[in-house]
Amino acid sequence: MSSAPKYARGVVTVTVNGADVALICSPRAAGIISKVTSGLQNALNSLIAVDYETVLGIYCAGSGKAPADAEQELFDHGITPMARVLYQYVLMLLNGGRTAEERAADEAAAAKRGNGDAAAPVPMADAGEPAAS
């Protein structure tokens, strides 16, 4: 029996055969997945299609396990359930290791600090000084 995966900043934890496996969000994992699938969009499409080689490759890239060690774990967990977890994992990679909710919260916090807030007022030139060009 497996429990629901846990999504946290930079890591997805999935329970396989009673042991927690951490799928780490990193630039290295994103690069490996992109190279193997010819792009992260292709990775997502292949996960939707439940392409076994893609599911195994992404699981290995995230967990750091060799394919020989990962195959039985993947089979025991279930290929389709793992494909669903890995889809969310790839989405997190696309968001800098964050869930969509974490990314939105980060953007809101940055806007409050004034970083990247497009609605911030632009200072106007005084009547006696020339406007910037």
Side-chain angles (χ1 to χ4, degrees), residues 32-128:
I32 290 169
I33 294 165
S34 182
K35 184 176 182 180
V36 169
T37 61
S38 298
L40 294 173
Q41 182 62 53
N42 288 335
L44 292 172
N45 293 339
S46 293
L47 287 168
I48 290 170
V50 194
D51 176 75
Y52 178 76
E53 291 298 322
T54 299
V55 175
L56 179 62
I58 294 172
Y59 182 72
C60 290
S63 67
K65 296 178 184 254
D69 299 328
E71 279 189 301
Q72 192 63 48
E73 288 181 12
L74 176 59
F75 187 79
D76 290 346
H77 183 77
I79 298 165
T80 300
M82 186 62 75
R84 288 188 203 114
V85 171
L86 294 174
Y87 189 90
Q88 294 302 317
Y89 171 73
V90 172
L91 290 178
M92 285 178 65
L93 287 173
L94 291 168
N95 283 305
R98 301 169 288 182
T99 64
E101 293 81 11
E102 289 170 333
R103 182 174 180 212
D106 287 350
E107 289 172 356
K112 276 188 170 180
R113 289 190 308 266
N115 296 335
D117 187 1
V122 177
M124 300 299 289
D126 287 339

